[in-house]
Amino acid sequence: AVLTVILYLNKGWRQEDGGQLLIYEANSPGGKVKVEILPEFNRLILFWANEDNPHEVLNTKRDRYAMTIWYINGAAALAK
């Protein structure tokens, strides 16, 4: 699994600007949304990016800025 860390850098972001991160229920028929996260300024999120947390980012109507870091277990990744 990959630990994803995102810091959003968007001042004055509104719901109608789009760009939400959607995290879905695992194995959910039809993709039931577990959580919807608006990319608001200074919001820091962490989540596991794996099959237990399917996710997507919606389209935006303006530029969207974020700093993203992915943490992986290097030895495990190289062993695959």
Side-chain angles (χ1 to χ4, degrees):
V2 175
L3 179 62
T4 301
V5 180
I6 303 173
L7 175 63
Y8 291 114
L9 306 169
N10 308 293
K11 289 188 177 179
W13 199 267
R14 303 177 319 255
Q15 183 78 25
E16 57 268 20
D17 293 327
Q20 295 89 334
L21 170 67
L22 301 181
I23 298 179
Y24 296 98
E25 296 281 344
N27 304 315
S28 171
K32 181 179 176 188
V33 175
K34 185 186 324 184
V35 65
E36 177 180 320
I37 301 167
L38 196 63
E40 295 175 314
F41 180 73
N42 210 31
R43 176 171 280 167
L44 180 71
I45 61 169
L46 293 90
F47 65 96
W48 292 107
N50 62 14
E51 62 277 352
D52 293 329
N53 287 305
H55 61 281
E56 73 172 319
V57 176
L58 300 181
N59 290 331
T60 65
K61 296 182 180 155
R62 59 181 262 206
D63 289 338
R64 176 183 168 274
Y65 299 99
M67 181 177 71
T68 304
I69 300 170
W70 293 282
Y71 291 98
I72 62 169
N73 180 333
L78 292 173
K80 289 184 179 184

